[in-house]
């Protein structure tokens, strides 16, 4: 798909080619050895309710068995070490499973309470914080970024709306060769937002503001700086006070260092100079900052997927602006303001070295799907979270298969 841009070199190339985005990630394809596809947890059914009268199936043991089989097959094909998959729909029951291992060194199994890095899902938090400022009247979507941040190419013409909608034309810093070299050589070292912008701004603008869609992490770094300027607080405090707390999330953090909240799943990536898969759990996510530094768990992402898709933290008119999409790379799909609509599923995906997430909501059925993986290694050119999402939705929502695209060719290093 396209939105999972925080994969560095790979994130951006994959997003453009596949039609989704993720979050920060680094180099080219390769994937780790397959691990046992152990599963745990349960699928439960609930009595149908009139509010849930859709084509979404009852999540019976028979449907759960089909999902188990399909997901184990994806595990085998992709070599993903561990996965957490949750599916919920009003009146239709729920399906929650864990597969594989959270730590390849010890063999500890994946469990539903583990934290993971969420990569570009962070963008939904940053843009929500921005839109809450819009609701207060402290900023306007059509303000030029140059009003808030100096030195931005075309800063007098690029609006906050174009930044949030990935239509600014600014070069994606995570594609810059010097940035990639820096991150690959010292992934535990912090980076500042200004350093990230320097990698972007040494490149000319790619096109005139608003001319087309082009996924760029640079856009969110700038929106993070806008939030800091208008609130007078560091971004992690803004996100906590303006989004995490009002949304009632208890296991979601915007970190100020490299540590993950405990308990956590170890994350594995091949975004290394040699392409060898390594444990990236302790890599510092500051290089993704407002575009992809956050961490969360299954239950919080279940809640957040619905919150962000339905706009409960925003005025209805502002949410309507957010959901007004423009075309991406896939016919019928579009990107709004820090959010996408992929075959009816609304949300965002995320990919950062070691982890991928896919929390999305299908308003038509009131259904929510959350997928958490502890690797970002591509499989034949595709994000593994996309393949997991496709496996689930092919069974439960055949009229809304995520992402509804043909496989893309593997990316070269």
């Amino acid at each position: 798909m396209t939105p999972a841009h925080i994969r560095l070199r790979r994130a951006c190339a994959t997003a453009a080619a596949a039609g989704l985005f993720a979050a920060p990630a680094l180099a080219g394809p390769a994937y780790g050895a397959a691990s046992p596809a152990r599963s745990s947890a349960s699928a439960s059914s609930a009595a149908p309710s009139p509010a849930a009268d859709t084509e979404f199936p009852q999540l019976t043991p028979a449907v759960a068995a089909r999902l188990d089989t399909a997901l184990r097959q994806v595990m085998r094909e992709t070599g993903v070490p561990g996965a957490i998959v949750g599916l919920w729909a009003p009146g239709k029951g729920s399906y929650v499973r864990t597969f594989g291992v959270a730590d390849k060194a010890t063999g500890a199994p994946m469990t539903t309470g583990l934290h993971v890095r969420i990569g570009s899902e962070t963008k939904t938090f940053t843009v929500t914080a921005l839109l809450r400022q819009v609701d207060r009247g402290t900023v306007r979507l059509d303000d030029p970024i140059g009003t808030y941040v100096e030195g931005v190419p075309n800063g007098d013409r690029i609006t906050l709306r174009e930044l949030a909608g990935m239509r600014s034309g600014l070069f994606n810093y995570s594609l810059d060769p010097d940035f990639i070299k820096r991150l690959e050589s010292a992934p535990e070292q912090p980076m500042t937002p200004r350093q990230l912008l320097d990698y972007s701004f040494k490149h000319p603008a790619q096109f005139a503001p608003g001319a087309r869609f082009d996924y760029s992490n640079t856009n969110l770094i700038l929106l993070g700086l806008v939030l800091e300027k208008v609130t007078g607080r560091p971004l992690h405090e803004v996100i906590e006070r303006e989004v995490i707390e009002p949304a009632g999330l208890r296991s979601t953090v915007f970190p100020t260092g490299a540590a993950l909240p405990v308990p956590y799943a170890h994350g594995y990536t091949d975004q290394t100079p040699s392409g060898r898969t390594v444990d990236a759990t302790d890599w510092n996510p500051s290089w993704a900052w407002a575009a992809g530094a956050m961490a969360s768990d299954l239950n919080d992402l279940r809640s957040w997927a619905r919150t962000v898709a339905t706009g409960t933290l925003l005025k209805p008119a502002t949410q309507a602006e957010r959901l007004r999409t423009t075309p991406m790379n896939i016919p019928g799909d579009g990107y709004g303001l820090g959010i996408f609509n992929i075959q009816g599923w609304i949300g965002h995906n995320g990919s950062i070295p070691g982890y991928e997430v896919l929390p999305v909501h299908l308003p038509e059925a009131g259904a929510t799907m959350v997928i958490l993986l502890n690797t970002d290694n591509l499989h034949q050119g595709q994000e593994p979270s996309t393949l997991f999402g496709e496996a689930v939705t092919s069974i439960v929502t055949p009229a809304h298969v995520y992402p509804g695209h043909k496989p893309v060719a593997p990316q070269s290093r």
Side-chain angles (χ1 to χ4, degrees), residues 52-179:
D53 186 18
T54 71
E55 295 301 316
F56 198 94
Q58 198 76 24
L59 294 172
T60 63
V63 172
R66 291 179 61 199
L67 290 167
D68 288 347
T69 298
L71 291 168
R72 289 191 181 104
Q73 177 64 26
V74 176
M75 289 283 291
R76 286 191 293 269
E77 291 177 353
T78 60
V80 168
I84 305 170
V85 178
L87 184 66
W88 304 266
K92 304 295 183 176
S94 62
Y95 171 91
V96 179
R97 289 285 194 272
T98 61
F99 301 88
V101 298
D103 186 340
K104 294 200 292 186
T106 66
M110 284 292 262
T111 60
T112 57
L114 296 177
H115 293 84
V116 299
R117 302 195 192 279
I118 64 173
S120 278
E121 180 67 18
T122 301
K123 293 177 172 68
T124 63
F125 288 84
T126 301
V127 174
T128 298
L130 176 75
L131 294 177
R132 284 171 66 84
Q133 294 299 319
V134 170
D135 281 345
R136 292 191 179 100
T138 53
V139 301
R140 296 177 302 173
L141 283 172
D142 293 320
D143 287 344
I145 183 60
T147 302
Y148 304 96
V149 182
E150 295 181 353
V152 181
N154 289 335
D156 60 334
R157 295 192 293 142
I158 296 171
T159 66
L160 304 187
R161 184 192 305 275
E162 288 162 342
L163 291 169
M166 299 296 176
R167 303 182 70 85
S168 71
L170 295 174
F171 184 84
N172 190 340
Y173 69 86
S174 54
L175 290 178
D176 177 76
D178 292 333
F179 166 78

Side-chain angles (χ1 to χ4, degrees), residues 22-343:
L26 305 179
Y31 47 94
S35 59
R38 296 193 299 238
S39 69
S40 64
S42 62
S44 63
S45 298
S49 67
D53 186 18
T54 71
E55 295 301 316
F56 198 94
Q58 198 76 24
L59 294 172
T60 63
V63 172
R66 291 179 61 199
L67 290 167
D68 288 347
T69 298
L71 291 168
R72 289 191 181 104
Q73 177 64 26
V74 176
M75 289 283 291
R76 286 191 293 269
E77 291 177 353
T78 60
V80 168
I84 305 170
V85 178
L87 184 66
W88 304 266
K92 304 295 183 176
S94 62
Y95 171 91
V96 179
R97 289 285 194 272
T98 61
F99 301 88
V101 298
D103 186 340
K104 294 200 292 186
T106 66
M110 284 292 262
T111 60
T112 57
L114 296 177
H115 293 84
V116 299
R117 302 195 192 279
I118 64 173
S120 278
E121 180 67 18
T122 301
K123 293 177 172 68
T124 63
F125 288 84
T126 301
V127 174
T128 298
L130 176 75
L131 294 177
R132 284 171 66 84
Q133 294 299 319
V134 170
D135 281 345
R136 292 191 179 100
T138 53
V139 301
R140 296 177 302 173
L141 283 172
D142 293 320
D143 287 344
I145 183 60
T147 302
Y148 304 96
V149 182
E150 295 181 353
V152 181
N154 289 335
D156 60 334
R157 295 192 293 142
I158 296 171
T159 66
L160 304 187
R161 184 192 305 275
E162 288 162 342
L163 291 169
M166 299 296 176
R167 303 182 70 85
S168 71
L170 295 174
F171 184 84
N172 190 340
Y173 69 86
S174 54
L175 290 178
D176 177 76
D178 292 333
F179 166 78
I180 294 170
K181 186 182 300 183
R182 158 79 182 270
L183 187 58
E184 288 183 336
S185 63
E188 297 86 4
Q189 296 300 311
M191 293 192 203
T192 68
R194 289 290 177 174
Q195 287 176 313
L196 303 178
L197 293 180
D198 287 343
Y199 286 114
S200 172
F201 294 169
K202 68 181 183 179
H203 299 270
Q206 308 297 289
F207 51 83
R212 61 185 176 88
F213 173 88
D214 185 65
Y215 195 84
S216 174
N217 292 319
T218 303
N219 297 333
L220 271 292
I221 303 305
L222 288 168
L223 293 182
L225 291 174
V226 170
L227 286 167
E228 290 195 331
K229 182 164 187 175
V230 300
T231 64
R233 301 195 302 269
L235 183 61
H236 68 276
E237 289 186 8
V238 176
I239 298 297
E240 182 174 356
R241 295 184 188 183
E242 295 292 329
V243 187
I244 293 174
E245 291 179 358
L249 306 180
R250 299 183 177 183
S251 298
T252 301
V253 299
F254 194 114
T256 56
L260 269 166
V262 293
Y264 57 81
H266 283 252
Y268 302 92
T269 188
D270 63 3
Q271 297 222 49
T272 57
S274 67
R276 182 175 66 89
T277 294
V278 300
D279 188 328
T281 307
D282 296 328
W283 288 15
N284 194 313
S286 61
W287 66 271
W289 199 52
M294 293 178 67
S296 189
D297 70 359
L298 176 70
N299 285 335
D300 268 15
L301 290 178
R302 172 193 177 184
S303 176
W304 176 244
R306 182 177 180 85
T307 294
V308 72
T310 58
T312 56
L313 296 183
L314 304 174
K315 293 179 179 179
T318 304
Q319 178 70 359
E321 287 288 305
R322 176 173 217 168
L323 296 181
R324 184 175 299 147
T325 63
T326 55
M328 295 190 299
N329 313 65
I330 309 173
D333 295 334
Y335 198 81
L337 302 180
I339 201 167
F340 63 58
N341 184 325
I342 302 292
Q343 305 299 332

